Amino acid sequence: MRTPSRATSGGRVAGTGKTGRALLSGVLAVCLAGSMAVNPVPAQAQPKPPVIPSKAAVERAQQAASAKAAQVTAIENQLAAANARLERLGVAAGVAAEAYNGAVYKLQLAKTEAAQAAARAAKAQRTLAIQRQQIGRFAAASYQGGGDVAKLAPLFTADGPQQLLDSAGAARSVSAAMQGSYLRYSATQVVTNLFKVQADQAVTRVKQATDEAAKAKKAAEAAEQEQASAVAAMGVQRRQAITQLAVLQNTSTKVAAQRQRGLEELARQRAAALAAKKAAELQRRIAAREAAERRREAAEKAAEKAREERERREEQREQQKDPGKKKPPKKKQPDRPRDDDRPSRKGAGAAIDFALDQLGDMYLWGGTGPNRWDCSGLTQGAWAKAGVYLPHYSVAQYEQIRHIDEDELRPGDLIFWSIDPDDPGTIHHVGMYLGNGRMVHAPRSGQPVRIDSVYYWEPPDFFGRP
């Protein structure tokens, strides 16, 4: 049997099992160690190759930047145009407000004229009644004297006394005194009718002026409302534009707003520098005119002194020729009035002080104080403190004061702006000169009474002295 041999062989394997497993483990360890020695692990990864944009990509980026820059410019232009529109609306509101003031001023004049015409008509009516009574007394006297009363009856008919006077019989019955009374009566009746017509016409003008005032007021309210809406829309538009600028320029909203404020401040500084330059030029011209006036006055005094010296020598010669001759009385030369001697010039300080006391008060069209003003209301109130009455209407204010040139300006004088620089009837804004190229005024709706350069806006057109 083969079993023993197989058993023997199996026993041999079994006898050597631990030794075989140990040998196998050693072989595996050697193989693993050899493998590790042949393939070491890298210590650091290799860098990735750089991404290099193509030339076309660079050109596309440049084009995108140019497009963004154009958008930025468009937004900035939009803001500038919106600010300019807001300024135009302010001017329009001021023009409408002064138109309303003018209509109210004309309405007051028309009412005064109507009252005067009505008073004249009433007075004439009373005179007419007295004269009618006088004619009645003549008629009664004629009746008592046996006159033809029947012929006097037409005095009280619809045709009046004319029919009576046209008849020859009445002419013989009515005395010459009665004829004179009737003639006066007829004349008074004509005048009374004329006064009534004038009163009716004045009332019509009052109605027209009232309608014009209402239309002007409605226009002023519409302009002011439009301005208020524009201001609100401007705030939204401004915030949106600043946000767009921030996105387009890759900046924060704060930086974009700061940039916009910087641009506006730069524009303001440039405008202020230009205004200061113009103000300095105005002061130079004012000083030159004053110096010329002083030279002229000095020359006049010198000429007067020379004339007096000639007269004195002439008198001495006359006295030497005729010692008993009396000296003729000396003629006193009238002093030439100076602007500073005018009563209103003495009150200019009070007018200026009043106007400066209102600094910070907000604008209100038609406003005459005590805490809200429009342009002509402020100058009216200021000069009232100096005892000078001015209408609440810039056109009428210019009409009622002395017109001067720009280089004649003195503190307290009034400065006017108009739509047509050749037509003072188009004046729509007024301010008060303070000196050194500055003025105080109530600018427009939404703005307070403040001090500005005379040239902070458009150059003024007319100048006057109360």
Side-chain angles (χ1 to χ4, degrees):
M1 292 180 65
R2 301 254 183 197
T3 304
S5 59
R6 292 171 64 185
T8 304
S9 174
R12 214 171 23 247
V13 171
T16 60
K18 289 183 178 181
T19 304
R21 286 195 295 272
L23 180 60
L24 179 59
S25 299
V27 171
L28 290 173
V30 171
C31 291
L32 181 59
S35 174
M36 292 176 66
V38 173
N39 297 312
V41 178
Q44 187 174 0
Q46 295 295 324
K48 294 181 180 180
V51 178
I52 302 176
S54 66
K55 184 177 180 181
V58 173
E59 291 178 352
R60 286 194 298 272
Q62 292 175 343
Q63 291 174 357
S66 298
K68 288 183 179 181
Q71 292 178 30
V72 170
T73 301
I75 292 173
E76 291 177 343
N77 291 338
Q78 184 182 10
L79 283 174
N83 286 329
R85 178 172 177 266
L86 182 60
E87 183 66 24
R88 289 194 299 272
L89 285 173
V91 173
V95 172
E98 278 305 285
Y100 172 75
N101 290 341
V104 172
Y105 174 72
K106 294 174 183 176
L107 175 60
Q108 293 170 347
L109 294 180
K111 286 182 176 178
T112 301
E113 183 180 352
Q116 293 173 348
R120 290 194 299 268
K123 182 179 179 180
Q125 190 67 38
R126 290 192 298 269
T127 303
L128 190 65
I130 293 173
Q131 292 179 349
R132 183 182 290 111
Q133 292 175 357
Q134 185 177 9
I135 292 177
R137 287 195 296 270
F138 273 115
S142 177
Y143 172 76
Q144 293 173 357
D148 192 349
V149 180
K151 292 182 179 180
L152 293 177
L155 278 171
F156 307 99
T157 64
D159 293 335
Q162 187 62 45
Q163 179 181 350
L164 176 63
L165 292 179
D166 288 343
S167 65
R172 288 190 300 269
S173 352
V174 180
S175 65
M178 186 173 180
Q179 292 182 33
S181 296
Y182 172 71
L183 292 175
R184 288 192 298 273
Y185 172 85
S186 299
T188 303
Q189 192 170 37
V190 171
V191 172
T192 301
N193 293 334
L194 176 61
F195 285 157
K196 287 182 178 179
V197 171
Q198 291 177 346
D200 292 340
Q201 291 175 346
V203 170
T204 301
R205 286 192 292 271
V206 168
K207 182 62 171 61
Q208 292 174 348
T210 304
D211 293 341
E212 291 175 3
K215 291 179 181 178
K217 182 178 179 181
K218 185 176 180 180
E221 290 174 340
E224 189 173 25
Q225 182 60 40
E226 183 179 6
Q227 184 186 20
S229 300
V231 170
M234 194 66 55
V236 175
Q237 184 181 15
R238 182 183 181 86
R239 289 191 295 271
Q240 292 175 346
I242 289 176
T243 301
Q244 293 175 19
L245 283 172
V247 173
L248 292 173
Q249 297 174 339
N250 293 322
T251 60
S252 66
T253 302
K254 181 178 180 181
V255 174
Q258 185 177 5
R259 166 180 165 76
Q260 187 61 32
R261 288 195 301 268
L263 293 174
E264 293 174 355
E265 176 62 18
L266 180 61
R268 188 197 66 78
Q269 291 177 358
R270 289 174 177 171
L274 180 60
K277 182 178 179 181
K278 292 181 178 179
E281 173 62 20
L282 172 61
Q283 284 300 103
R284 187 194 65 77
R285 289 190 285 116
I286 290 176
R289 188 180 187 111
E290 290 177 343
E293 290 179 355
R294 288 193 296 269
R295 289 194 298 270
R296 178 175 55 79
E297 291 175 358
E300 290 177 355
K301 289 181 179 178
E304 178 65 18
K305 187 175 181 179
R307 184 186 62 79
E308 292 177 352
E309 181 62 23
R310 288 195 302 271
E311 291 179 353
R312 186 184 64 80
R313 289 196 298 267
E314 182 66 25
E315 290 175 0
Q316 288 179 348
R317 287 194 295 269
E318 291 293 333
Q319 287 293 322
Q320 290 174 358
K321 293 179 182 179
D322 187 0
K325 185 177 180 180
K326 294 183 179 180
K327 294 182 180 181
K330 187 176 182 180
K331 295 181 179 180
K332 184 178 180 180
Q333 297 295 326
D335 295 331
R336 187 178 66 86
R338 293 171 51 87
D339 285 338
D340 293 340
D341 296 330
R342 290 168 53 89
S344 63
R345 299 310 304 157
K346 296 179 181 178
I352 293 173
D353 290 342
F354 180 88
L356 294 179
D357 286 342
Q358 316 313 313
L359 289 175
D361 288 354
M362 293 304 294
Y363 180 96
L364 175 67
W365 62 264
T368 56
N371 300 314
R372 303 289 295 274
W373 309 87
D374 64 8
C375 63
S376 56
L378 179 64
T379 52
Q380 179 193 44
W383 271 105
K385 285 295 181 181
V388 178
Y389 172 76
L390 295 176
H392 182 203
Y393 181 34
S394 56
V395 173
Q397 287 185 3
Y398 181 72
E399 289 174 348
Q400 296 187 16
I401 63 178
R402 186 162 72 90
H403 301 169
I404 61 175
D405 293 329
E406 187 176 14
D407 56 2
E408 292 182 272
L409 280 172
R410 302 291 185 273
D413 291 341
L414 301 185
I415 308 169
F416 300 87
W417 283 259
S418 66
I419 298 175
D420 182 354
D422 296 324
D423 182 7
T426 63
I427 287 174
H428 60 82
H429 187 60
V430 58
M432 179 181 291
Y433 187 64
L434 297 177
N436 297 321
R438 301 179 306 147
M439 67 174 178
V440 58
H441 67 142
R444 59 177 174 81
S445 187
Q447 298 291 331
V449 175
R450 69 190 189 199
I451 296 175
D452 279 317
S453 168
V454 172
Y455 303 99
Y456 90 104
W457 181 37
E458 299 174 352
D461 301 305
F462 300 98
F463 312 88
R465 178 167 300 157

